[in-house]
Amino acid sequence: MIVAMQEKATEEQIDAVIDAMVEAGVGVHRTTGATQTILAGVGPTASVDLSKFEVLPGVLHVHRISSPYKLAGRGFRPEGTVVEFANGVKVGQERVIVMAGPCSIENSEQVFETAKRVKAAGGTFLRGGAFKPRSSPYAFQGMGIPGLKLLHEAARENGLLAVSEVMEIAQIEPMLPYVDLFQVGARNMQNFNLLRELGQVRKPVLLKRGIAATIEELLLSAEYILSGGNYDVILCERGIRTYETSTRNTMDISAIPVVKKLSHLPIVGDPSHGTGRRDMVAPMARAAVAAGADAILVEVHPNADKAASDAAQTLYLEQFEELMGQLRVIAAAVGRTI
Ligand code: PEP
Ligand code: MN
């Protein structure tokens, strides 16, 4: 259930409504917007008499949520979520944020060179996998924590934030000092134990859509994190598996406006995994920005062809720089900046 408070509702009135919800056996999640406070009630709300809440002082309206996700739905935060990072960077506002870096962290030179160029081109996050979910057990599995240390150092030295993938619960704690944003990969979108644990962490999470997941399933996975009290979740469209074989995945650009409509969470477009082909990354990145993505996640590498993973979809730094110029034009056309 959603209880929307009046703009002028006092803290005492809000507290009284929360108390009444708790008394009715409902778990309460509060969001305090710029103009309005919303209280989402989760749990056994079907048997709760809503009219009891409608008459409480300060309440604007009360309604049941028909969608299976309660906290990820737009109704919880109609104005949209803005995820703020330590250095003041915000995802979910007018500025489209660019996250770029290699698929995998390989060595110091690769990461530092990439970081410098990503920053100079206008990027905000340095990406790089240290724990890699590879289709083959014989493929490069990532550098682990030493790789994350490099990522973190290169990011900080260049005034960037660091994003990297977490594959299991045991990695959360050791990763905490080195990442600003935990990435949950497509393969782990329904690793519910991992999602629950990330709900307890007070660091933002980038949740990628699974290769065969519907948007509803993506939002339900986000719900696992939100229901633990971590509201800083950013979603990511990275292509889904279809019958089409011309591209590695089919990038579902329409997922961007669909998510915007259904959810308050920011959405990122990943044209690298979305296409799997270097020559198609730029067009799909442009399309994602045009469609309203709050950020773009792109794989770049100083020697793209020789990348230890995902070489075929990785941009050379020069290509990334050119793309940034194009994205600025597109962003302006849809009322945003980069
Ligand atoms: C990645 O970002 O390198 C990655 C493995 O992504 P995905 O989980 O979308 O395949
Ligand atoms: Mn990759």
Side-chain angles (χ1 to χ4, degrees), residues 57-317:
V59 170
L60 181 65
H61 62 81
V62 184
H63 63 266
R64 264 184 232 291
I65 312 170
S66 52
S67 66
Y69 43 86
K70 313 295 178 195
L71 304 175
R74 251 287 153 192
F76 182 52
R77 274 190 185 156
E79 76 276 20
T81 282
V82 175
V83 178
E84 192 169 347
F85 292 84
N87 61 356
V89 166
K90 296 184 177 112
V91 178
Q93 283 196 326
E94 187 186 305
R95 182 174 171 211
V96 178
I97 298 299
V98 175
M99 307 175 176
C103 179
S104 302
I105 302 154
E106 297 165 20
N107 56 61
S108 168
E109 200 190 332
Q110 169 226 28
V111 184
F112 277 82
E113 170 68 4
T114 305
K116 193 175 73 184
R117 301 277 290 270
V118 166
K119 178 66 182 183
T124 300
F125 278 81
L126 182 65
R127 66 147 285 153
F131 298 108
K132 297 302 302 176
R134 304 305 302 281
S135 298
S136 162
Y138 308 119
F140 177 57
Q141 304 287 309
M143 283 180 74
I145 296 295
L148 282 180
K149 287 185 181 168
L150 288 179
L151 179 79
H152 183 256
E153 247 179 76
R156 286 296 179 270
E157 193 165 289
N158 289 280
L160 295 165
L161 294 159
V163 52
S164 196
E165 177 165 356
V166 56
M167 285 176 61
E168 55 171 296
I169 293 173
Q171 290 163 354
I172 297 177
E173 193 73 31
M175 284 179 73
L176 271 172
Y178 307 117
V179 297
D180 300 292
L181 175 60
F182 279 107
Q183 175 174 323
V184 174
R187 291 155 192 84
N188 273 313
M189 189 204 83
Q190 288 189 314
N191 181 341
F192 302 120
N193 293 331
L194 176 64
L195 300 178
R196 264 197 207 288
E197 206 58 33
L198 289 167
Q200 302 304 317
V201 171
R202 291 297 166 265
K203 218 162 225 189
V205 177
L206 176 68
L207 177 63
K208 290 185 140 198
R209 182 180 182 182
I211 59 169
T214 63
I215 293 170
E216 182 171 297
E217 286 164 339
L218 172 65
L219 296 178
L220 279 167
S221 288
E223 189 84 8
Y224 270 89
I225 305 170
L226 300 172
S227 61
N230 185 355
Y231 301 126
D232 288 335
V233 176
I234 302 170
L235 304 173
C236 179
E237 165 58 37
R238 47 77 73 208
I240 48 174
R241 181 150 302 175
T242 68
Y243 48 78
E244 182 53 64
T245 55
S246 310
T247 46
R248 179 182 177 188
N249 292 296
T250 298
M251 182 137 175
D252 182 7
I253 292 289
S254 66
I256 295 167
V258 171
V259 164
K260 284 262 162 240
K261 191 180 167 84
L262 298 179
S263 178
H264 53 85
L265 297 171
I267 173 99
V268 178
D270 171 356
S272 306
H273 297 86
T275 61
R277 296 180 47 140
R278 186 176 301 138
D279 58 338
M280 290 173 191
V281 169
M284 293 315 259
R286 298 193 298 257
V289 171
D294 297 298
I296 294 292
L297 180 70
V298 198
E299 287 182 340
V300 304
H301 191 295
N303 196 356
D305 252 338
K306 295 282 182 321
S309 57
D310 286 348
Q313 67 193 34
T314 296
L315 294 186
Y316 282 93
L317 295 167

Side-chain angles (χ1 to χ4, degrees), residues 1-7 9 14 17 21 31 36-40 53-54 56-63 75-76 78:
M1 60 186 281
I2 290 276
V3 180
M5 300 300 295
Q6 293 167 1
E7 271 187 40
I14 294 168
V17 176
M21 290 169 80
T31 179
Q36 187 186 34
T37 292
I38 304 245
L39 303 171
F53 295 93
E54 273 156 6
L56 293 177
V59 170
L60 181 65
H61 62 81
V62 184
H63 63 266
F76 182 52

